[in-house]
Amino acid sequence: NVAGEVVAQREAGNRAIVGLMLESNLQWRNQKFVLGATDLRYGVSVTDACMDWDTTANLLMKIHLALGG
C-alpha cells in the first residue's frame, strides 16, 4: 500500500520523493532471536517483518512499469 502511494505521488508530479525503502528477505515475516537458539529459519529476518523474495521482485517490477520503465 505504501509503495503504491509513493508511485501515485511520483506520477502526480512530486519530484521530492527520490527513493523507497523495502523490508525484504528470502522468506516473509520475522522471527524472534533468542541467544543460543538452534531453530532459527534460514532467510527469515530476526528484526523487522519482511516481504519475501517473490513479493519483492513483483513489487519492484510493478513500480518500474508504473514509472515508465
Side-chain angles (χ1 to χ4, degrees):
N1 292 339
V2 174
E5 180 59 31
V6 169
V7 168
Q9 288 183 38
R10 286 287 296 185
E11 290 176 319
N14 184 345
R15 296 297 174 239
I17 298 173
V18 295
L20 174 68
M21 182 176 150
L22 304 174
E23 297 280 351
S24 181
N25 209 318
L26 297 176
Q27 303 295 323
W28 70 288
R29 289 190 159 177
N30 63 336
Q31 61 187 329
K32 294 204 183 283
F33 175 76
V34 178
L35 192 59
T38 59
D39 61 344
L40 291 175
R41 293 169 294 161
Y42 178 77
V44 179
S45 175
V46 293
T47 56
D48 298 329
C50 294
M51 295 182 288
D52 65 14
W53 183 264
D54 290 334
T55 301
T56 303
N58 289 332
L59 179 57
L60 289 172
M61 183 57 70
K62 286 180 184 177
I63 292 169
H64 174 71
L65 294 173
L67 296 177

